[in-house]
Amino acid sequence: VQLQASGGGLVQAGGSLRLSCAASGSIFSINSMGWYRQAQGKERELVATITSSDSTNYGDSMKGRFTISRDYAKNTVYLLMNSLKPEDTAVYYCNSETMHNAYDVSHDYWGQGTLVTVSS
């Protein structure tokens, strides 16, 4: 399974960005998709996840500013980021928990990361 993320870039504080991540390859079902981020010198942290039943979970500092959504037909997850702050600067990684067939267990896959830079 390959995850192709896009949409990162440079934005001023208070601005918005929309990230996309499309999954392709040997996919029977995707149990959940999500975004994590890693700032320089820090550990990777949860940004948001969305399950196949549209249940969402957000990191504390993202609640109310970020919205995760999913297009099941396209195996794509989106992250709309509003009211961006300089501390949101990080590499954002897409994640999926994917099954290859009906009898499979769920496998973790990661995208290559997309850089988001928020200037003050």
Side-chain angles (χ1 to χ4, degrees), residues 31-37 45-70 72 77-80 95 97:
N31 296 330
S32 73
M33 297 188 80
W35 294 92
Y36 294 75
R37 71 185 185 187
E45 64 173 343
L46 168 71
V47 175
T49 58
I50 182 167
T51 70
S52 56
S53 58
D54 284 339
S55 175
T56 59
N57 185 38
Y58 293 91
D60 287 341
S61 65
M62 296 79 173
K63 292 176 181 177
R65 300 189 298 127
F66 292 8
T67 303
I68 190 170
S69 61
R70 190 170 159 181
Y72 292 88
V77 64
Y78 304 97
L79 182 70
L80 176 60
N95 170 267
E97 294 182 359

Side-chain angles (χ1 to χ4, degrees), residues 3 9 16 31 36 48 54 62 65 70 72 84-85 89-90 92 100 102 112 117:
L3 298 177
S16 298
N31 296 330
Y36 294 75
D54 284 339
M62 296 79 173
R65 300 189 298 127
R70 190 170 159 181
Y72 292 88
L84 283 162
K85 306 173 182 179
T89 295
Y92 284 69
H100 300 298
Q112 83 283 8
T117 304

